[in-house]
Structure formats: C-alpha cells, structure tokens
Amino acid sequence: MLCKRIIPCLDIKDGRTVKGTNFVNLRDAGDPVELGALYAQQGADELVFLDITATVEKRKTLRELVNRIAHHINIPFTVGGGISSVDDVSALLQNGADKISVNTAAFKNPQLIQELSKEFGSQCVVLAIDTRQEEDGEWYVYLNGGRTKTEARCFDWAKQGVELGAGEILLTSMNHDGTKQGFALDITRELATKLPVPVIASGGGGTMQHFVDVFEQAHADAALAASIFHFKEIAIPELKGYLQGRNIEIRPV
Amino acid sequence: MDLVIIKYNAGNIQSVLYALERIGVNALVTDDYEKIQNADKVIFPGVGEASSAMRYLKEHKLDTVIKNLQQPVLGICLGMQLMCAYSEENDTTCLGIFDEHVKLFSPPTDRGIKVPQIGWNNIFNLKSPLFKGLPENSYCYFVHGYYAALGEHTIATADYVQPYSAALHRDNFYGAQFHPEKSAKVGEQLLKNFLSL
C-alpha cells in the first residue's frame, strides 16, 4: 500500500532554517542540511525547503545549498521560493532537487506550469497555494508569501494548475498556519477528493491527532509541518507510531 | 571498480551519483560508448518521458550499446521501463531486454487513487540477490505514472491499483521501478547489493 507521507518543512533564509508564526516572527532553528539529515534519519518521508527570501542575487546561494542537501540526504526533497523560470528549475534539478514548487510566479504566468511539466515532467512540479478563508466563507488564493490577496478561488486555481501539468498540490491554509489548532480539513478534503493528483496539507498541525484527522477525514496524501518538528514538540518516530496505532498506512521508522 | 552512470536526456542522474558517493563509491557519468562498454557495472537511471528518451538513445546509438552490455546493468525508474519491450507512454517501442509491457495506471475513477503514484510503497515476493538483507515488505520511494506488468522477469512486486513489477531481472540486466537513490537505508542496501553482484 502507498503510505501517507510526513514532510517536515524547512524555511530557509540566508542559508539558515527559520519558521515564523503566521509568516512573521522568524526564529532560528539551525542548519538546513543538518536538520534535514536528522529528519531523514528519524523517518521523515520527504523534505521541503522553502527559500523565503529568494531574490535574484541569492539564487546562487540556494543552488549551492541544494547541492549540499542532495549530497547528504537520502530521501526526496522539494525546493521552492522565488522560482519563476525554466532556467531556475533546471539549475535546481541539476543540483539534485527532486521536485520544485512554484507559487506566485505560476499564478501570474500559468503557462509556466505547462512549460515546466513538459520540460521536466509533472512528477517534479508542485503547485504551492497559500489560501485564506474570508468572511464570505470562500477560500481565496494569496500571493507573495501571503501578503497579496487575489480574487481567485483556491479550488479553481488548483484545478487549473493540475490541468496545466502540476503533479502535486501543496496547500497551506493561512487561517491555520502557526495556530497548532489542526489542519484545514474542509478545503484539504475538497482538493484531495476532487483532484487527480496528491495533496500535501500544510498549516495548523499541532498534535498527533491532527495528523490522523487530516489523513482520515480530509484524505490528504501527505502532511507538512515545521515548528512542531523544529522545536521538538512532536518527534517523527513518535508521530509515526501513533499513526500506525490508528491503522494509517505509514512507512515504519 | 569501474562504475558508469549512463548520461542521456533524462533527469535525476545527479541523485544517483550522490547516493553512490554516500556509500563510498565513485561513478563516472558519461555517454561515451567505450567507457560504458568497458565499465565493470552500469547504472541506467532516469526520470522523464519514454518516447523522447528512446529517440535520444537511438540518435546517440546508445540503444544498441545498452542492449549488448554483458556486465551487470541496473535500470532505475524510466531506465527500467526503457529496458522493457514496449511503453504505452506515447506508444514507444523500447529496448526489449525484458518482455514486459509498460502501461499507464488506470484506477477506477471512484476510488480516489492518484496518478502518478508518488511516495513510499512496500515491495514483496523478493526473489533476487539484489534484495539480500532486505526483509519482505521493505518500503521504497516510487514516482511513476506508468508501470511494468508482472511477468516472468519480475523479481519484486508492488501493489498500486494492481500488483505490478517493482523490479525485473534477466541475465545481467536488473531494473527497479522505485528509486534506490532516494529510498533511505533500503535503497542504500540495494545499491550495495548491486555493486557486489
């Protein structure tokens, strides 16, 4: 049986891991390569590295970091942050990234998804969507790390992204991110059950039961979290044991 | 030992090189026929699309080179699929080392099964020294939308939509649908086993 995946996310700024609450208040949680290798050893199924200050000048630094990660880590990893061209992706894949995630640039230029999936295959194109549920009950797409609201509905954009060739959706609920009150089950379920590609749920995981809920109730294919792992609030082996005890298919540590 | 990784227009080649480095083995990534032919062992990796990969191999006459290799060869993912007879992916005639056909996963629409398969799945009915030291139902990392059906050359089975070939073997040729280079300790053991064949 295909397993549900547990994915620690490492936000990177200036080559170091950081994680904020609701996208502000960054705290330092260490060296990305060391931390990533530790998670891999503990039984993480994949890793996601998001460069949150990706600027043109910093891209070379990111490539070097990706290369170092690829040398040291024996599980798959995704790299995202500021990716806006086929050349960006080509450089990251050549340095050993397994997948890349696109967000703002893909929204502004949806053709990018098609170009990337044609050039490198859908399996390495992850569409990351930051979404927030507004007063009207609708989930809207946000850009630029959650700073810019759009009028697009989350489901519509996800569906379009998949039609253009995205092979996976990384869905972050801004309402839930950093709250540790549980994942956004409704929107995750909508995407996970209506789209033909895997959905990674992100934002809000605070207890081991939250992971059970997102897999069982929302049918997420994978769950991503950051600070609870970085600050050792939940250990991956413990989490996997808990999920196994709830009869959720996971890769044993 | 002279270990060669075949270079062609497919992705993921560096990852194999790095995985080998992690177990203390250096390899040469090359498309030079002589170096491939003279290597002690050859790895044929790849993530990509079958028809463009086959076209590239033919244009560079690597198709004949690969088919005629006598030393142990390990195809990974697309590499393994290209070693089969035929792939439904853009109706592609492949190398024909294994008789098995490569088909698209077609799950019933009501079961919520995603294609491609992405993630860790267990492998069973392990029947080869390639799996020495690995227990039944070891977990490996898979990323693929097409699969090789079960056949006489199947040496490991995985189940997604239906049972299919997780690995194949014929004479000196081995193929793994999953990615040993990304399958943590299990993958490292498999690579070590291949190197000691």
Side-chain angles (χ1 to χ4, degrees):
Chain A
M1 280 272 285
L2 182 65
C3 297
K4 300 289 188 182
R5 287 171 279 156
I6 300 296
I7 307 178
C9 177
L10 292 80
D11 286 356
I12 309 293
K13 188 181 180 188
D14 302 330
R16 303 276 298 172
T17 310
V18 287
K19 176 63 190 177
T21 304
N22 286 328
F23 293 92
V24 290
N25 268 339
L26 304 179
R27 286 166 73 184
D28 193 334
D31 173 41
V33 178
E34 254 180 65
L35 191 58
L38 175 70
Y39 288 142
Q41 195 194 340
Q42 288 182 339
D45 298 307
E46 278 183 43
L47 298 170
V48 169
F49 295 87
L50 284 182
D51 192 9
I52 57 170
T53 55
T55 56
V56 177
E57 314 85 73
K58 297 266 170 64
R59 245 169 234 147
K60 191 158 172 281
T61 321
L62 179 63
R63 285 170 199 172
E64 286 162 4
L65 176 64
V66 166
N67 192 274
R68 212 153 59 84
I69 295 165
H71 271 97
H72 286 91
I73 290 174
N74 61 8
I75 57 171
F77 68 97
T78 301
V79 179
I83 294 171
S84 60
S85 71
V86 169
D87 287 347
D88 289 344
V89 171
S90 179
L92 293 169
L93 295 178
Q94 274 169 27
N95 277 292
D98 297 286
K99 310 181 209 178
I100 55 81
S101 74
V102 286
N103 189 330
T104 303
F107 187 86
K108 291 183 173 163
N109 170 26
Q111 215 51 40
L112 177 65
I113 299 176
Q114 199 165 30
E115 286 171 30
L116 293 176
S117 66
K118 273 203 171 146
E119 184 76 22
F120 309 107
S122 287
Q123 83 291 333
C124 72
V125 182
V126 180
L127 176 60
I129 303 177
D130 295 328
T131 187
R132 181 193 289 278
Q133 189 176 31
E134 302 290 344
E135 301 284 310
D136 63 3
E138 295 282 350
W139 290 89
Y140 291 91
V141 176
Y142 275 70
L143 304 179
N144 299 314
R147 291 187 294 272
T148 313
K149 184 179 185 269
T150 73
E151 290 307 311
R153 304 292 200 277
C154 176
F155 180 78
D156 298 342
W157 170 228
K159 185 165 179 283
Q160 190 191 346
V162 171
E163 284 162 4
L164 288 166
E168 242 176 329
I169 302 287
L170 167 52
L171 178 70
T172 302
S173 162
M174 295 169 60
N175 306 69
H176 297 74
D177 197 48
T179 66
K180 297 182 187 173
Q181 298 297 307
F183 293 91
L185 299 180
D186 291 352
I187 187 71
T188 302
R189 185 188 305 110
E190 185 177 10
L191 266 60
T193 56
K194 290 185 183 167
L195 297 176
V197 302
V199 172
I200 304 164
S202 158
T207 67
M208 295 193 284
Q209 185 60 38
H210 291 154
F211 287 82
V212 174
D213 296 343
V214 81
F215 291 139
E216 277 194 342
Q217 296 178 33
H219 306 286
D221 299 278
L224 177 145
S227 54
I228 54 161
F229 298 136
H230 301 337
F231 299 106
K232 303 192 179 91
E233 290 160 32
I234 295 179
I236 293 170
E238 190 191 358
L239 173 58
K240 286 197 144 180
Y242 186 85
L243 294 172
Q244 208 170 12
R246 301 294 179 287
N247 292 320
I248 291 170
E249 197 76 23
I250 52 108
R251 177 176 68 109
V253 178
Chain B
M1 185 184 51
D2 226 355
L3 179 62
V4 156
I5 301 172
I6 298 176
K7 184 175 159 185
Y8 67 117
N9 66 334
N12 214 37
I13 288 172
Q14 292 300 112
S15 304
V16 177
L17 183 66
Y18 299 157
L20 291 165
E21 283 176 19
R22 283 194 295 271
I23 58 170
V25 182
N26 289 314
L28 177 69
V29 179
T30 183
D31 54 5
D32 182 310
Y33 313 152
E34 273 193 25
K35 284 180 177 149
I36 296 172
Q37 279 160 347
N38 294 331
D40 297 313
K41 294 206 167 69
V42 176
I43 296 183
F44 180 34
V47 168
E49 190 275 318
S51 69
S52 58
M54 270 311 295
R55 198 176 318 123
Y56 182 96
L57 293 178
K58 281 184 188 161
E59 278 166 12
H60 294 76
K61 302 202 165 46
L62 284 166
D63 56 334
T64 323
V65 173
I66 295 169
K67 273 194 277 194
N68 292 318
L69 290 172
Q70 305 293 316
Q71 62 275 59
V73 178
L74 176 63
I76 296 174
C77 194
L78 179 64
M80 183 203 90
Q81 296 191 355
L82 294 174
M83 286 157 74
C84 291
Y86 169 81
S87 173
E88 281 183 6
E89 190 173 19
N90 292 315
D91 190 19
T92 305
T93 302
C94 299
L95 297 170
I97 293 165
F98 306 123
D99 305 329
E100 284 71 10
H101 281 206
V102 176
K103 301 170 187 177
L104 179 65
F105 280 126
S106 313
T109 47
D110 59 340
R111 280 171 56 198
I113 298 174
K114 316 289 174 75
V115 175
Q117 170 176 225
I118 299 181
W120 297 80
N121 204 338
N122 55 314
I123 58 171
F124 51 95
N125 293 339
L126 308 180
K127 294 185 285 194
S128 166
L130 203 56
F131 302 108
K132 192 178 162 198
L134 294 176
E136 284 284 311
N137 295 310
S138 290
Y139 283 87
C140 298
Y141 191 80
F142 291 85
V143 180
H144 61 126
Y146 292 80
Y147 68 96
L150 293 176
E152 60 166 319
H153 301 116
T154 304
I155 51 166
T157 304
D159 195 342
Y160 193 69
V161 186
Q162 73 275 308
Y164 67 93
S165 293
L168 295 165
H169 169 228
R170 183 188 155 199
D171 305 329
N172 55 316
F173 293 98
Y174 297 81
Q177 179 59 64
F178 51 90
H179 290 275
E181 75 279 14
K182 290 288 165 181
S183 294
K185 293 279 173 213
V186 170
E188 284 167 5
Q189 184 62 47
L190 185 137
L191 289 173
K192 284 179 192 166
N193 290 344
F194 173 69
L195 296 174
S196 52
L197 283 173

PDB file of all heavy atoms in Angstrom, chain B residues 173-194:
ATOM      1  N   PHE B 173      20.895  -8.153 -16.628  1.00  0.00           N
ATOM      2  CA  PHE B 173      20.119  -6.906 -16.545  1.00  0.00           C
ATOM      3  C   PHE B 173      19.162  -6.903 -15.357  1.00  0.00           C
ATOM      4  O   PHE B 173      18.402  -7.861 -15.165  1.00  0.00           O
ATOM      5  CB  PHE B 173      19.310  -6.702 -17.830  1.00  0.00           C
ATOM      6  CG  PHE B 173      20.163  -6.441 -19.037  1.00  0.00           C
ATOM      7  CD1 PHE B 173      20.475  -7.478 -19.924  1.00  0.00           C
ATOM      8  CD2 PHE B 173      20.659  -5.169 -19.287  1.00  0.00           C
ATOM      9  CE1 PHE B 173      21.263  -7.243 -21.038  1.00  0.00           C
ATOM     10  CE2 PHE B 173      21.453  -4.933 -20.411  1.00  0.00           C
ATOM     11  CZ  PHE B 173      21.757  -5.967 -21.284  1.00  0.00           C
ATOM     12  N   TYR B 174      19.201  -5.816 -14.603  1.00  0.00           N
ATOM     13  CA  TYR B 174      18.294  -5.617 -13.463  1.00  0.00           C
ATOM     14  C   TYR B 174      17.574  -4.290 -13.652  1.00  0.00           C
ATOM     15  O   TYR B 174      18.128  -3.348 -14.234  1.00  0.00           O
ATOM     16  CB  TYR B 174      19.080  -5.565 -12.145  1.00  0.00           C
ATOM     17  CG  TYR B 174      19.797  -6.852 -11.817  1.00  0.00           C
ATOM     18  CD1 TYR B 174      21.026  -7.150 -12.412  1.00  0.00           C
ATOM     19  CD2 TYR B 174      19.243  -7.778 -10.943  1.00  0.00           C
ATOM     20  CE1 TYR B 174      21.691  -8.335 -12.133  1.00  0.00           C
ATOM     21  CE2 TYR B 174      19.891  -8.968 -10.648  1.00  0.00           C
ATOM     22  CZ  TYR B 174      21.118  -9.245 -11.251  1.00  0.00           C
ATOM     23  OH  TYR B 174      21.753 -10.416 -10.971  1.00  0.00           O
ATOM     24  N   GLY B 175      16.355  -4.228 -13.170  1.00  0.00           N
ATOM     25  CA  GLY B 175      15.633  -2.958 -13.235  1.00  0.00           C
ATOM     26  C   GLY B 175      14.844  -2.753 -11.962  1.00  0.00           C
ATOM     27  O   GLY B 175      14.277  -3.703 -11.420  1.00  0.00           O
ATOM     28  N   ALA B 176      14.810  -1.513 -11.472  1.00  0.00           N
ATOM     29  CA  ALA B 176      14.000  -1.171 -10.299  1.00  0.00           C
ATOM     30  C   ALA B 176      13.071  -0.023 -10.679  1.00  0.00           C
ATOM     31  O   ALA B 176      13.529   0.992 -11.214  1.00  0.00           O
ATOM     32  CB  ALA B 176      14.884  -0.750  -9.133  1.00  0.00           C
ATOM     33  N   GLN B 177      11.792  -0.202 -10.439  1.00  0.00           N
ATOM     34  CA  GLN B 177      10.845   0.878 -10.720  1.00  0.00           C
ATOM     35  C   GLN B 177      10.975   2.008  -9.705  1.00  0.00           C
ATOM     36  O   GLN B 177      10.765   3.168 -10.024  1.00  0.00           O
ATOM     37  CB  GLN B 177       9.408   0.326 -10.720  1.00  0.00           C
ATOM     38  CG  GLN B 177       8.355   1.372 -10.984  1.00  0.00           C
ATOM     39  CD  GLN B 177       8.549   2.054 -12.321  1.00  0.00           C
ATOM     40  OE1 GLN B 177       8.452   1.433 -13.379  1.00  0.00           O
ATOM     41  NE2 GLN B 177       8.879   3.349 -12.300  1.00  0.00           N
ATOM     42  N   PHE B 178      11.328   1.653  -8.476  1.00  0.00           N
ATOM     43  CA  PHE B 178      11.471   2.667  -7.431  1.00  0.00           C
ATOM     44  C   PHE B 178      12.862   3.307  -7.526  1.00  0.00           C
ATOM     45  O   PHE B 178      13.671   2.917  -8.366  1.00  0.00           O
ATOM     46  CB  PHE B 178      11.258   2.032  -6.052  1.00  0.00           C
ATOM     47  CG  PHE B 178      12.090   0.798  -5.827  1.00  0.00           C
ATOM     48  CD1 PHE B 178      13.362   0.891  -5.282  1.00  0.00           C
ATOM     49  CD2 PHE B 178      11.620  -0.448  -6.197  1.00  0.00           C
ATOM     50  CE1 PHE B 178      14.139  -0.236  -5.090  1.00  0.00           C
ATOM     51  CE2 PHE B 178      12.398  -1.594  -6.011  1.00  0.00           C
ATOM     52  CZ  PHE B 178      13.669  -1.481  -5.469  1.00  0.00           C
ATOM     53  N   HIS B 179      13.090   4.265  -6.647  1.00  0.00           N
ATOM     54  CA  HIS B 179      14.362   4.983  -6.673  1.00  0.00           C
ATOM     55  C   HIS B 179      15.234   4.577  -5.490  1.00  0.00           C
ATOM     56  O   HIS B 179      15.087   5.142  -4.408  1.00  0.00           O
ATOM     57  CB  HIS B 179      14.100   6.491  -6.625  1.00  0.00           C
ATOM     58  CG  HIS B 179      13.497   7.009  -7.886  1.00  0.00           C
ATOM     59  ND1 HIS B 179      14.254   7.375  -8.966  1.00  0.00           N
ATOM     60  CD2 HIS B 179      12.212   7.159  -8.251  1.00  0.00           C
ATOM     61  CE1 HIS B 179      13.461   7.761  -9.951  1.00  0.00           C
ATOM     62  NE2 HIS B 179      12.212   7.638  -9.546  1.00  0.00           N
ATOM     63  N   PRO B 180      16.156   3.645  -5.675  1.00  0.00           N
ATOM     64  CA  PRO B 180      17.029   3.282  -4.560  1.00  0.00           C
ATOM     65  C   PRO B 180      17.816   4.488  -4.047  1.00  0.00           C
ATOM     66  O   PRO B 180      18.080   4.600  -2.851  1.00  0.00           O
ATOM     67  CB  PRO B 180      17.963   2.215  -5.143  1.00  0.00           C
ATOM     68  CG  PRO B 180      17.742   2.196  -6.607  1.00  0.00           C
ATOM     69  CD  PRO B 180      16.438   2.858  -6.879  1.00  0.00           C
ATOM     70  N   GLU B 181      18.129   5.398  -4.956  1.00  0.00           N
ATOM     71  CA  GLU B 181      18.928   6.572  -4.556  1.00  0.00           C
ATOM     72  C   GLU B 181      18.155   7.513  -3.634  1.00  0.00           C
ATOM     73  O   GLU B 181      18.735   8.418  -3.052  1.00  0.00           O
ATOM     74  CB  GLU B 181      19.436   7.312  -5.800  1.00  0.00           C
ATOM     75  CG  GLU B 181      18.422   8.145  -6.566  1.00  0.00           C
ATOM     76  CD  GLU B 181      17.530   7.346  -7.517  1.00  0.00           C
ATOM     77  OE1 GLU B 181      17.484   6.100  -7.428  1.00  0.00           O
ATOM     78  OE2 GLU B 181      16.849   7.991  -8.344  1.00  0.00           O
ATOM     79  N   LYS B 182      16.838   7.300  -3.514  1.00  0.00           N
ATOM     80  CA  LYS B 182      16.010   8.150  -2.653  1.00  0.00           C
ATOM     81  C   LYS B 182      15.277   7.329  -1.604  1.00  0.00           C
ATOM     82  O   LYS B 182      14.368   7.827  -0.958  1.00  0.00           O
ATOM     83  CB  LYS B 182      14.983   8.904  -3.518  1.00  0.00           C
ATOM     84  CG  LYS B 182      15.599   9.959  -4.389  1.00  0.00           C
ATOM     85  CD  LYS B 182      16.054  11.144  -3.556  1.00  0.00           C
ATOM     86  CE  LYS B 182      16.986  12.043  -4.337  1.00  0.00           C
ATOM     87  NZ  LYS B 182      17.436  13.182  -3.523  1.00  0.00           N
ATOM     88  N   SER B 183      15.624   6.054  -1.484  1.00  0.00           N
ATOM     89  CA  SER B 183      14.874   5.159  -0.599  1.00  0.00           C
ATOM     90  C   SER B 183      15.614   4.880   0.708  1.00  0.00           C
ATOM     91  O   SER B 183      15.597   3.753   1.214  1.00  0.00           O
ATOM     92  CB  SER B 183      14.540   3.854  -1.322  1.00  0.00           C
ATOM     93  OG  SER B 183      13.651   4.097  -2.389  1.00  0.00           O
ATOM     94  N   ALA B 184      16.241   5.891   1.236  1.00  0.00           N
ATOM     95  CA  ALA B 184      16.880   5.831   2.548  1.00  0.00           C
ATOM     96  C   ALA B 184      17.769   4.585   2.673  1.00  0.00           C
ATOM     97  O   ALA B 184      18.472   4.232   1.726  1.00  0.00           O
ATOM     98  CB  ALA B 184      15.825   5.931   3.646  1.00  0.00           C
ATOM     99  N   LYS B 185      17.737   3.927   3.829  1.00  0.00           N
ATOM    100  CA  LYS B 185      18.636   2.794   4.094  1.00  0.00           C
ATOM    101  C   LYS B 185      18.365   1.612   3.160  1.00  0.00           C
ATOM    102  O   LYS B 185      19.281   0.898   2.750  1.00  0.00           O
ATOM    103  CB  LYS B 185      18.484   2.324   5.546  1.00  0.00           C
ATOM    104  CG  LYS B 185      18.957   3.323   6.565  1.00  0.00           C
ATOM    105  CD  LYS B 185      20.479   3.272   6.721  1.00  0.00           C
ATOM    106  CE  LYS B 185      20.979   4.396   7.613  1.00  0.00           C
ATOM    107  NZ  LYS B 185      22.301   4.883   7.210  1.00  0.00           N
ATOM    108  N   VAL B 186      17.085   1.394   2.859  1.00  0.00           N
ATOM    109  CA  VAL B 186      16.714   0.276   1.983  1.00  0.00           C
ATOM    110  C   VAL B 186      17.388   0.435   0.619  1.00  0.00           C
ATOM    111  O   VAL B 186      17.974  -0.500   0.065  1.00  0.00           O
ATOM    112  CB  VAL B 186      15.174   0.196   1.817  1.00  0.00           C
ATOM    113  CG1 VAL B 186      14.773  -0.790   0.729  1.00  0.00           C
ATOM    114  CG2 VAL B 186      14.523  -0.187   3.148  1.00  0.00           C
ATOM    115  N   GLY B 187      17.325   1.660   0.100  1.00  0.00           N
ATOM    116  CA  GLY B 187      17.923   1.936  -1.200  1.00  0.00           C
ATOM    117  C   GLY B 187      19.434   1.785  -1.174  1.00  0.00           C
ATOM    118  O   GLY B 187      20.040   1.264  -2.126  1.00  0.00           O
ATOM    119  N   GLU B 188      20.024   2.219  -0.072  1.00  0.00           N
ATOM    120  CA  GLU B 188      21.489   2.107   0.043  1.00  0.00           C
ATOM    121  C   GLU B 188      21.909   0.640   0.055  1.00  0.00           C
ATOM    122  O   GLU B 188      22.894   0.259  -0.585  1.00  0.00           O
ATOM    123  CB  GLU B 188      21.973   2.833   1.308  1.00  0.00           C
ATOM    124  CG  GLU B 188      21.957   4.344   1.108  1.00  0.00           C
ATOM    125  CD  GLU B 188      22.121   5.158   2.380  1.00  0.00           C
ATOM    126  OE1 GLU B 188      22.348   4.556   3.456  1.00  0.00           O
ATOM    127  OE2 GLU B 188      22.018   6.396   2.294  1.00  0.00           O
ATOM    128  N   GLN B 189      21.126  -0.185   0.758  1.00  0.00           N
ATOM    129  CA  GLN B 189      21.431  -1.625   0.785  1.00  0.00           C
ATOM    130  C   GLN B 189      21.319  -2.226  -0.618  1.00  0.00           C
ATOM    131  O   GLN B 189      22.171  -3.014  -1.041  1.00  0.00           O
ATOM    132  CB  GLN B 189      20.470  -2.347   1.746  1.00  0.00           C
ATOM    133  CG  GLN B 189      20.770  -3.831   1.920  1.00  0.00           C
ATOM    134  CD  GLN B 189      22.154  -4.078   2.519  1.00  0.00           C
ATOM    135  OE1 GLN B 189      22.533  -3.446   3.499  1.00  0.00           O
ATOM    136  NE2 GLN B 189      22.924  -4.982   1.905  1.00  0.00           N
ATOM    137  N   LEU B 190      20.278  -1.820  -1.341  1.00  0.00           N
ATOM    138  CA  LEU B 190      20.095  -2.359  -2.688  1.00  0.00           C
ATOM    139  C   LEU B 190      21.251  -1.956  -3.610  1.00  0.00           C
ATOM    140  O   LEU B 190      21.767  -2.772  -4.376  1.00  0.00           O
ATOM    141  CB  LEU B 190      18.761  -1.885  -3.259  1.00  0.00           C
ATOM    142  CG  LEU B 190      18.428  -2.500  -4.623  1.00  0.00           C
ATOM    143  CD1 LEU B 190      16.977  -2.929  -4.684  1.00  0.00           C
ATOM    144  CD2 LEU B 190      18.741  -1.563  -5.775  1.00  0.00           C
ATOM    145  N   LEU B 191      21.686  -0.711  -3.499  1.00  0.00           N
ATOM    146  CA  LEU B 191      22.819  -0.275  -4.334  1.00  0.00           C
ATOM    147  C   LEU B 191      24.079  -1.061  -3.973  1.00  0.00           C
ATOM    148  O   LEU B 191      24.832  -1.485  -4.858  1.00  0.00           O
ATOM    149  CB  LEU B 191      23.054   1.233  -4.168  1.00  0.00           C
ATOM    150  CG  LEU B 191      21.986   2.149  -4.787  1.00  0.00           C
ATOM    151  CD1 LEU B 191      22.244   3.604  -4.418  1.00  0.00           C
ATOM    152  CD2 LEU B 191      21.935   1.996  -6.310  1.00  0.00           C
ATOM    153  N   LYS B 192      24.286  -1.274  -2.668  1.00  0.00           N
ATOM    154  CA  LYS B 192      25.447  -2.066  -2.238  1.00  0.00           C
ATOM    155  C   LYS B 192      25.343  -3.480  -2.805  1.00  0.00           C
ATOM    156  O   LYS B 192      26.340  -4.048  -3.265  1.00  0.00           O
ATOM    157  CB  LYS B 192      25.527  -2.130  -0.708  1.00  0.00           C
ATOM    158  CG  LYS B 192      26.033  -0.849  -0.072  1.00  0.00           C
ATOM    159  CD  LYS B 192      26.058  -1.003   1.454  1.00  0.00           C
ATOM    160  CE  LYS B 192      26.262   0.337   2.127  1.00  0.00           C
ATOM    161  NZ  LYS B 192      25.978   0.286   3.561  1.00  0.00           N
ATOM    162  N   ASN B 193      24.140  -4.052  -2.754  1.00  0.00           N
ATOM    163  CA  ASN B 193      23.941  -5.407  -3.289  1.00  0.00           C
ATOM    164  C   ASN B 193      24.258  -5.455  -4.780  1.00  0.00           C
ATOM    165  O   ASN B 193      24.893  -6.391  -5.265  1.00  0.00           O
ATOM    166  CB  ASN B 193      22.502  -5.871  -3.062  1.00  0.00           C
ATOM    167  CG  ASN B 193      22.199  -6.138  -1.593  1.00  0.00           C
ATOM    168  OD1 ASN B 193      23.109  -6.272  -0.774  1.00  0.00           O
ATOM    169  ND2 ASN B 193      20.917  -6.201  -1.262  1.00  0.00           N
ATOM    170  N   PHE B 194      23.812  -4.444  -5.513  1.00  0.00           N
ATOM    171  CA  PHE B 194      24.090  -4.417  -6.952  1.00  0.00           C
ATOM    172  C   PHE B 194      25.593  -4.346  -7.190  1.00  0.00           C
ATOM    173  O   PHE B 194      26.134  -5.043  -8.054  1.00  0.00           O
ATOM    174  CB  PHE B 194      23.396  -3.221  -7.613  1.00  0.00           C
ATOM    175  CG  PHE B 194      23.773  -3.040  -9.057  1.00  0.00           C
ATOM    176  CD1 PHE B 194      23.360  -3.960 -10.017  1.00  0.00           C
ATOM    177  CD2 PHE B 194      24.565  -1.973  -9.461  1.00  0.00           C
ATOM    178  CE1 PHE B 194      23.724  -3.815 -11.356  1.00  0.00           C
ATOM    179  CE2 PHE B 194      24.936  -1.817 -10.795  1.00  0.00           C
ATOM    180  CZ  PHE B 194      24.510  -2.742 -11.734  1.00  0.00           C
TER     181      PHE B 194
END
